[in-house]
């Protein structure tokens, strides 16, 4: 008989981990937008998220505002930023410099993305990295060069995952192969693209685990509270919006009714993902806090509070 394992003698080690909570923000495009964003940031901060992600324009066009927002989050708030970074629009040398700049600012989480290809040419700029996988490898190289500086915390590298086929991909099976390749290159976790049907996250999880993907896959959900936003999102992300949600939003006769419909649909998606074993919840906020907080209110996620005890997220 073999001796009892550590997990047998310390059963608490196998208890379920608290559910992670995070939000996506994008850098403001005007002083008025910055004011709204900072109201949102302060409201979201009260829920003690584990991190907030900051998007990056695929062309690198908002690089300065993204870095400025990240710096302010580090200096002026209790929030930990996860910086998005894209291959498209920057040379590897520029990307290495940006990674260094982010590390110097105290950032320890990067979401490595390819970015959407320019609409006109359909191809990345000459000399840019081809796939997110290449960016992961670049991040790991920069990290290795600075390993002495990172003794108190290495870089957590995240990647995108797709519950429905990526528009350029031949199949969902290919998407999972790509996710596995990103894991092999050093990805620590994945956040999903938006999805509209409750079974889609669980199906992705099954495909990914069968293929050998072991990293956490965090569902990304977005409270969809207007027809215009759902349509635009569908176009941008190449995700087919759910016709029944569109019809209900179109038939609603007030903003508060549309918000109620969007929040309720998001809660259904989040609950289905949590039931399937989601390790966290990432809320795409569109820089607005109200719907995100309403979703949280109704979910009561088991979370860690700052004093280390499990608590329901407000
Ligand atoms: P990749 O993983 O590189 O995949 C791109 C395409 O290439 C896919 O079709 C894939 O199947 C294929 N592919 C990848 N590797 C290989 C390979 N080795 N061989 C053959 N084919 C391959 N965009 C932004 O511009 N800024 C953002 O801040 C941003 N944030 C995002 C956050 C999340 C959570 C998600 C899900 C997406 C985000 N996007 C963002 C959009 C993303 O950039 C696009 O979806 C983009 O088209 C693909 O990015 P990727 O990182 O998945 O690329």
């Amino acid at each position: 008989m073999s001796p009892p394992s550590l997990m047998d003698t310390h059963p608490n080690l196998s208890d379920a981990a608290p559910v992670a909570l995070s939000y996506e923000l994008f850098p403001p495009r005007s002083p008025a937008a910055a004011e709204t964003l900072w109201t949102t940031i302060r409201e979201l901060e009260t829920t003690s998220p584990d991190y907030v992600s900051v998007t990056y324009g695929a062309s690198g066009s908002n690089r300065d505002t993204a870095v400025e927002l990240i710096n302010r989050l580090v200096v002026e708030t209790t929030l930990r930023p996860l910086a998005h970074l894209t291959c498209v629009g920057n040379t590897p040398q520029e990307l290495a410099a940006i990674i260094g700049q982010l590390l110097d600012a105290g950032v320890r989480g990067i979401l490595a993305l390819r970015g959407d290809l320019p609409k006109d040419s359909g191809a990345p700029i000459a000399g840019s990295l081809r796939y997110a996988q290449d960016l992961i490898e670049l991040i790991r190289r920069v990290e290795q060069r600075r390993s002495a500086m990172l003794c108190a915390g290495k870089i957590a590298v995240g990647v995108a995952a797709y519950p429905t086929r990526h528009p350029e991909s031949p199949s969902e099976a290919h998407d999972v192969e790509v996710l596995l390749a990103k894991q092999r290159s050093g990805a620590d976790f994945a956040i999903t693209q938006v999805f509209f049907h409750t079974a889609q996250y669980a199906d992705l999880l099954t495909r990914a685990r069968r293929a050998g993907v072991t990293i956490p896959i965090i569902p990304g959900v977005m409270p969809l509270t207007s027809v215009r936003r759902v349509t635009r999102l569908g176009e941008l992300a190449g995700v087919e919006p759910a016709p029944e949600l569109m019809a209900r939003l179109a038939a609603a006769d007030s903003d508060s009714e549309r918000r109620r419909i969007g929040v309720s649909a998001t809660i259904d998606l989040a609950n289905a993902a949590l039931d399937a074993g989601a390790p966290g919840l990432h809320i795409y906020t569109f820089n607005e806090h109200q719907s995100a907080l309403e979703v949280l209110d109704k979910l009561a996620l088991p979370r860690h509070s700052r004093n280390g005890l499990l608590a329901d997220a407000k």
Side-chain angles (χ1 to χ4, degrees), residues 24 53-59 84-87 111-117 130-134 159-162 166-171 174-175 178-179 181-182 190-194 220 236-237 282 284:
E24 182 186 277
S53 82
V54 175
T55 64
Y56 190 81
S59 60
H84 296 207
L85 201 54
T86 62
C87 305
L111 193 66
L113 302 150
R114 186 202 58 184
D116 284 318
L117 299 176
R130 190 160 180 206
Y131 296 124
Q133 191 184 348
D134 304 316
V159 292
Y162 297 89
H166 182 267
E168 294 162 45
S169 166
S171 64
H174 174 85
D175 284 336
V178 168
L179 184 56
K182 293 195 272 197
I191 302 179
T192 75
Q193 183 58 281
V194 288
L236 281 176
H282 185 66
Y284 293 102

Side-chain angles (χ1 to χ4, degrees), residues 10-74:
H10 295 81
N12 287 346
L13 289 179
S14 55
D15 279 357
V19 173
L21 173 67
S22 54
Y23 302 107
E24 182 186 277
L25 304 171
F26 58 84
R29 297 191 186 104
S30 67
E35 207 170 306
T36 313
L37 171 62
W38 275 91
T39 304
T40 290
I41 288 171
R42 292 302 177 196
E43 290 285 341
L44 297 178
E45 194 177 15
T46 63
T47 66
S48 303
D50 295 283
Y51 57 92
V52 290
S53 82
V54 175
T55 64
Y56 190 81
S59 60
S61 52
N62 70 352
R63 168 184 168 167
D64 292 344
T65 41
V67 172
E68 188 191 326
L69 174 57
I70 288 166
N71 277 325
R72 282 194 67 188
L73 288 170
V74 172

